[in-house]
Amino acid sequence: PSVAAFSATLDQTTSKADATMRAPVKNVQVPGLENGMDYVKLGDSDLVVSKVCMGTMTFGQQNTLEEGVEQLAKAWDTYGVNFLDT
């Protein structure tokens, strides 16, 4: 396949993903977020995830266990984040 064909396929895939990400399934009002937290379907599955993902790659290196637990609890309970990148 040519670079142009690959690029066209990537553009189509990205456009579909962008369209999905722009269409929230629901919005939940949460303290500290003026417009609340948007949730979208994950791909073709029935999973509904927050548009905000919390990265945890450096947990245990740049913070203590207690700090990590506190950060996860705040993201989950206060802001409605349910999408974690480990």
Side-chain angles (χ1 to χ4, degrees), residues 40-52:
V40 295
K41 284 183 68 174
L42 184 61
D44 293 332
S45 75
D46 290 331
L47 295 175
V48 176
V49 297
S50 56
K51 275 193 169 182
V52 175

